[in-house]
Structure formats: C-alpha cells, structure tokens
Amino acid sequence: MEVYGDQLCQCPQRPSDLKTAEQERKNYLQTKRIFLSRGLYIAVTLQLFAYFYPHMDTSMFFYEPLKYFGSADFLYFYLMPRELGLVHVLLPLVAVLPSATFAAEDAHMGFLNYQLYRSGEKKYMRLQIQSALLGSVFASLAGSMLYVAFIALASPMSGDHVLESWRQIIKQSAYAPLLYANGWPIVLDSVFRFALAAAVWSMVGVGLTALTQNAGLGLVLTLAIAYQSNAVLQMNPALIYWSQRSLVAINIAYIDSLWANTIRQLIYFLIGITTALIGLKILMTRR
Amino acid sequence: MAKQKLKMIVFYTRAFLPLHICALAMAMAGIRALASPQFNMPGTTLGSLVAETLGGHEWNMFINIDAVTDWLLALLPPLTGLIVYMRSVMGKTLMFSLYRHGSKAKWMTSLQASMLLYTLLLTVLMGLAITFTGFFTGMRGLHVFGLDQSGFYNRIWWPPLFSMFTYAMQSFMLLEIYLFFYLLSGEVSIGLIAFVLPVIFAMLRGSNDELSGSIEWFINWGMSKRYSFSSGEYGVPVKYGILRQVLVNLGLLGLTHTLIPYLPLTERKEP
C-alpha cells in the first residue's frame, strides 16, 4: 500500500502540474520534429559549403587541403570566407529550412485545427516561434562551429604564417579591442552575429510561410526580400549600415561600431518577430 | 486531337498563372527595376531599362556577390508560379492526371509545354511591369541607342525583346533543373537549392581570373548571361548564344523526359 501511495505522490495531481507536463511534452515533440527534419541537416551542409566556397578558387585546396589551410593563420581563414564567402547569401535559406515552415506545413496537412484545439492559439504561436528560433540558430551555429573547429585544427594560431597585413587592418577597425587570444573573440562575435541574423530571417520566414500557407513560396519570398532589401539599402549611403551585408559580412575595416550593429540587429529581430506574429495571426483567422 | 491537346496546354498554362502570381511577379520585377543602378542614369529610355533589367547581370571583370544576388533576384519571379502549381499537382489528384494523360512521359510533355508558355508569358508581364515603372517615372522611348548594322550610332528596337527572350530561356532552363530535382526528391528545398546554387556558382566561377576560359564557358552555355549586341564588346555573339541556350534547354527537356518513367511520383508520401 505504501509503495502504491508513493507512486501516486510522484504523479502530477494538480491542474498546474498537468499543464506543465503537457507543455514539456509538446516542447519535446517539437524539438524532436526539428532534429528529425531533413531541412536542418541541409541547412548545416549549406552553411558549411558557404564557408568553404571561397577556398575552391585554388587547386591546392583540392589536392593538398592541409597544406593550403596551413599556409596562413586561423583568423585569416575565418575572416576571408566571412567577407568573400556565401554565408550571408545563403543565410535566409539556412534560417528558414530547419523549422520556419512548420506552421504552413501543419495548415497544408490539415493538422492545424487539431494542434489549435489541443494547445490554443497563443501557445501554438509561441511554440512555432520558439522552434523556428531554435532550428535557425542551431543550424547557423552548428555550420559555423564545424568550420571554426576545422580551421582551428588545420591552421596555425601564431608564428610565421600569421598575416600581419590583416592584423594591421583589424587594429585600426572596430574589432581592435577584441584582437587577443589569437582572434577567438572576433571569430565568436562574428559567428553569433550570423546566428542572430539567421534568427531574424527565420522569423520573417515564419511570417511569410504562414501568410502564403505554402512552405516553398514562403521560402522564395524570404530569399527575395532578403536580396531586395540588401540591394535597396546598399544603394542609399545613409542606410548602407542597415543592409545585411554591412551588418554581418562587410570588410571589418568598414564597420562603424559593433554596438551600433548589435542594436540594428536587435531592431531587425523585433521587426522579424512582429512579421511572424502577424503571419501566424492571419493564418489562424483564415482557417 | 491536336486541338484538344493544345486546349489542354493552354488550360495548364492558365493554371500556372493565377492572378496573385502575375501580380507578385510583376511587383518583384517593378521593384527590382526601381532599385537598379540603370534607373538613375541620365538618358535611360524604357527600352534600355528593360534590356538592362532582364538582360543579364552587371558586367565586370570580377563579378561580386552583390551582382550575383541581384541577378538571382531577377530570376526568382518565375519560380513562384511553378512552386504553387506543383504543390497543387503533386497531391492526391496526380494519379488521376497521370491516368488522363496515359503515361508519365505524356504528362511530363504537357507539363513542359505549359511551363514554356508560362515562362514566356510571365517574361512579357515582367517586361510590361518594368516598362510601366519607367513610364510613370518619366522615361520614354522603347528603343536603345547603339550601333546599327551599317555601323552608325542609331536607335535600335530589338535589344529589349531580345533580352526578354534570353531571360525566358534562362528561366526555363533553371525551372527545368528545379522541376527535375523536385520530382527526384519530393522536396521544395532541394529543388530551390538546385535552382540557386548553379547561378551563384556559374557567376562567381565566370569571374575567376585563375580560370580564364570559364567566362566564355558559362556565358556561352546560358548560365551566366551577357550578350553583346555588336562585335568587339564583352559577351558572346548573339546567334551562338541563342543556339547554345536552346540546345541546353532541349538537352534538359530530353533528360527529364527520359528519366520521368523511373521516378516514384505516385508511390511517394505527400510531404
């Protein structure tokens, strides 16, 4: 009897406990959905490809990769693809592919009504935003960290191979205070800025896919808005620092202030969240 | 019989082009024209705006990433209609469509024919959107100033139409690639990557000084497009460019047509 009583005590009894357990289960299922989706792995592969792409110009990269990555220092091999690679070009894809299309998929498959019946509008919206953020940030960080880990192992941190000309440029830029510990703070700062930009585009992706109720169309529109806004902002000298390229991938000599860039990215994040909420709200009212 | 087939193709083309896709593609083309560097140049005519906006990426010895994203942006509108159409086709009704056509190959033929018509029609609509955008901001004249056949600097009329035609050809080529990978994988994301990466790759490879022949290679075969209207300029002579681009399109049509019977279209679960 006592054992039975103990078991009963461990079970959630109060309504609030039941709610928490249900919420935890939903979070677990949603996380499982993200990590089982092919989109996540495609996004990580794309991010890695984007980093490696500028190295593919040279035949040495293919025939003697270790010798190639040993020919300059770690910081150079991070900053070069950051500026000349495809990371910021493919970032909207990397952001949307893992989990930003879930709401549109639910609507298309006819699961939306069941999901809303079980969790309610607000919780469903929160879950979609959470999962889009988790998927996009994870994909961006995983791709970047895999590349950083590779160059950390393959490229020298110090010694004769350090490119002094690059270090001189950094010393005169906004990144000068972060130039210590072989450049790790600069690399990590840049990696997190890419992750934040991915979070912004995932929010835009959630909004557009929910609005169009079509994952593919939402993906294409996110890509189009990313490219068009970048082109428009780059044309105007007063707004150039607001373009995505200037925020995450411009030559570090031209960065005006790291704090200003962080604030700009956070403003974009708020715009992204608003887009996602509007898109999801329209999806709910249309059903 | 032929009349019925033609009717069917027109019906499918109409299905490709719902009103919201037309509006979306025209808006995308108009906005891109407004943001193009050509727009602010003095003396730009409507013809030169169309020719520059749809006539290929900006020409530089070294094409930078901004030029790549700009041209990619130009190529995205035709993809929207195909994505929306394919989602409606690939559902539960596909089996009935295949039954009505008789075989996968015949279904693919009618799909490709209507896709070609769709691409041409959408290009015309985009050209009109760019023309109206220019017209309402004060531009006039459907001509382009250039060297005519007798070598005099004159008004010529064919470059805007030619740009639109080559744009449609390149779009059709990329839509074929998208369609092939979409049918192969059943995923829009894979199709989209197959659409985007060749454009980026071709343009950046084409401006690589270590691969000197690559510029001609990619332009010649239609992936990176920049035709010269008169000899002696950068780019490819018109007739070879068109011939090769048509050949690439025919090759892709043949490839998709050959492989379609082996693709598991109806056996796959709907994504």
Side-chain angles (χ1 to χ4, degrees), chain B residues 236-268:
Chain B
V236 179
V238 169
K239 57 184 175 185
Y240 293 116
I242 289 186
L243 185 70
R244 283 168 181 155
Q245 200 158 28
V246 169
L247 277 177
V248 171
N249 276 323
L250 287 175
L252 282 168
L253 280 173
L255 184 72
T256 320
H257 207 271
T258 315
L259 292 176
I260 193 74
Y262 307 106
L263 297 181
L265 299 180
T266 46
E267 292 85 347
R268 189 183 291 134

Side-chain angles (χ1 to χ4, degrees), chain A residues 195-223:
Chain A
L196 186 53
V200 172
W201 288 116
S202 76
M203 289 296 95
V204 176
V206 169
L208 290 173
T209 49
L211 200 67
T212 55
Q213 295 189 29
N214 185 329
L217 187 59
L219 193 58
V220 173
L221 288 180
T222 310
L223 207 60

